Amino acid sequence: MTPAALRTFCLGLNGTAEEFPFTPEHSVFKVCGKMFALSALEEEPLTVSLKCDPDLAVQLRAEHPAIVPGWHLNKRHWNTVTLDGSLPDRTVREMIEDSYDLVVAGLPKAERLRLDRP
């Protein structure tokens, strides 16, 4: 997955915005003000940090060397994924969607309804 494809996919999710609260180099993708993805799109290798169910996070780390505990994030709930081609783009997209869904699930009902995600 390329940096442009990563940005396009994240911004394609309903209600998503890209912000730069840390540095101009670090894109933070948020839904309703809550972060679901973090990436330095210009760095090589390209990485993205994503929220993940804690049990699944451990399983994914064991199965894929490109997935490690979230860098500078709560390691129980976040994974950092190196996008070096070892994971299919489909898998990466599913992980991004899962991260988005976890964040949306924690939003107030009115916000979820506004996003068409009851």
Side-chain angles (χ1 to χ4, degrees):
M1 180 174 280
T2 67
L6 175 62
R7 173 182 275 133
T8 299
F9 188 77
C10 287
L11 290 174
L13 297 170
N14 200 10
T16 299
E18 180 180 20
E19 298 179 8
F20 302 89
F22 305 120
T23 69
E25 296 83 26
H26 288 87
S27 293
V28 175
F29 298 96
K30 295 181 175 184
V31 57
C32 297
K34 303 290 184 182
M35 180 173 77
F36 70 90
L38 166 68
S39 181
L41 295 172
E42 303 299 322
E43 286 187 11
E44 287 193 27
L46 178 61
T47 62
V48 62
S49 294
L50 301 166
K51 193 163 187 158
C52 191
D53 171 79
D55 294 329
L56 180 58
V58 172
Q59 178 184 342
L60 290 170
R61 293 172 198 161
E63 293 174 1
H64 304 284
I67 301 175
V68 297
W71 185 71
H72 282 289
L73 296 163
N74 181 326
K75 291 167 182 13
R76 184 166 183 260
H77 295 277
W78 289 84
N79 281 336
T80 296
V81 182
T82 301
L83 304 178
D84 58 4
S86 64
L87 292 170
D89 285 355
R90 181 174 145 245
T91 301
V92 175
R93 287 191 301 269
E94 288 172 355
M95 292 173 61
I96 294 168
E97 287 174 338
D98 287 348
S99 179
Y100 174 89
D101 288 343
L102 282 169
V103 171
V104 169
L107 295 173
K109 184 176 181 179
E111 300 259 355
R112 291 193 315 268
L113 290 172
R114 190 174 61 77
L115 296 169
D116 294 325
R117 301 251 183 180

